[in-house]
Structure formats: C-alpha cells, structure tokens
Amino acid sequence: MRVIGITGGVGSGKSYVAHRLQELLGAELLIADELGHTVMEPGKPAYRQIVDTFGEEILGEDAQIDRNALAKIIFEDSTARERLNAIIHPAVMEYVEQYIRERRDREGIILLETAIMYETGCDRLCDEVWLVAVPCEERIRRLQRDRGYSAEKAQAIMRSQMSEEDMRNRVSRIIDNGGDLKALEKQLQELTV
C-alpha cells in the first residue's frame, strides 16, 4: 500500500479533495477527525480520560461527549487544547498505525487526511504528503459562509494550526484550491493519470 497524506488548514477543502481522490484513485480513506470522534465515544479508551480531565459538564444527556461544549473550552484555552490533544492524538495515531501496518503489503493506496499532519507525527506514516492550499482570507470567507463561523472563530482555529507557509516547505505536492471547482477538478484529474 502506498500511503498519501492529505493536509491543509481549516477551510482549505482538504476533506473534499480527499473524498474526490478516493473516488478517482479507488483508494481507502482515513479521516483523522472522524477517528478522533470515534476514540471519544463511551467505552473507548480516550472517553474516560477526557471526562476526567474536563468534567461531567461536557457530557450531553445521552452521556456522549458534547463536542460543541468541548470545542468552546479548547478554542478559548490553549492549555486545555493541549491536554485534549495529549489524550486524542495518541489514540488516533495508534489506530492509524495499526490500520496501515495490517495493509502495508497489499496493493493500492491509503489516503490519510488530517489538518495536523506534522503536529501529530502522521507524516512519518506517509510515503508522501500533499497540501491543499488556499489563501487565509479565502479560508475565512469559506468558513463564514459554509459553517457560520465568525471571522474571530475562524482566525482562532487557524492560529491553533501550523501555518500554510510552514506546511508548503515540507510537503511533496501542492494542490491549489484557491480558485473554482473546475480548476480544482482539473488538478485532481492530472494527479490521477
């Protein structure tokens, strides 16, 4: 299996690109955010640690972790974000490592999509990493339009992630998603030929 990392900051369109590449390449797709949610479910290893760290007030009536309540805490407090990351990232990394190890000798492609490729060390699991790049102003505009974020919330999330400039210096390939869908699709088609 060839492992290609797909990264980019919040609002870059990396999830769209990853899903589209999955279709075009017939690849398997691992999305770190989804795996992060999986390890937070009741009965999973990270669940109890998160509740013990942040308190019962982050739980909904169904005993699930209320991700909105947790997000409010971690985006207002960088220390809280670091504590959460110290719980979730190792659990996700363990899952991804095992998934890749079990499939490494097979044919095909695994796409690993995460905004925090380098911060978590996921890059070391990849044969190459591709960046979905979009200017900051466009990312903020998209987050306001598509997710209803305020400019302040979008900027706070962006500040919590590695800068696109730093990522550009580390990746194997850059996919420009600052234009329209037609231009993006043309690039993706060229990558899969």
Side-chain angles (χ1 to χ4, degrees), residues 68-169:
N68 289 330
L70 188 56
K72 186 173 183 346
I73 294 168
I74 66 167
F75 286 117
E76 292 176 359
D77 179 353
S78 62
T79 303
R81 183 173 53 251
E82 290 168 9
R83 287 194 321 249
L84 179 64
N85 289 344
I87 297 167
I88 291 186
H89 293 169
V92 169
M93 189 68 153
E94 183 178 324
Y95 179 93
V96 171
E97 284 177 330
Q98 180 178 342
Y99 188 93
I100 291 171
R101 187 173 45 252
E102 289 173 356
R103 291 159 180 79
R104 195 48 115 161
D105 61 348
R106 298 181 193 168
E107 292 294 317
I109 297 173
I110 295 173
L111 300 171
L112 173 57
E113 185 256 298
T114 180
I116 51 177
M117 180 71 65
Y118 296 101
E119 297 92 329
T120 58
C122 283
D123 61 302
R124 68 180 176 76
L125 304 175
C126 301
D127 297 305
E128 54 187 296
V129 177
W130 299 358
L131 170 66
V132 181
V134 178
C136 289
E137 303 77 29
E138 176 62 15
R139 289 168 53 202
I140 292 169
R141 189 183 69 70
R142 290 178 184 179
L143 290 167
Q144 289 176 307
R145 179 193 69 209
D146 300 340
R147 298 188 195 176
Y149 289 2
S150 66
E152 294 77 22
K153 180 175 181 175
Q155 290 167 342
I157 296 169
M158 289 167 65
R159 279 193 302 273
S160 74
Q161 297 177 339
M162 179 183 276
S163 74
E164 186 174 286
E165 182 180 328
D166 288 342
M167 284 190 273
R168 281 178 176 270
N169 294 324

Side-chain angles (χ1 to χ4, degrees), residues 43-63:
K44 301 292 185 190
Y47 175 85
R48 180 72 334 208
Q49 286 181 274
I50 293 168
V51 174
D52 289 347
T53 301
F54 295 99
E56 301 279 329
E57 59 271 9
I58 64 165
L59 296 178
E61 291 179 17
D62 60 357

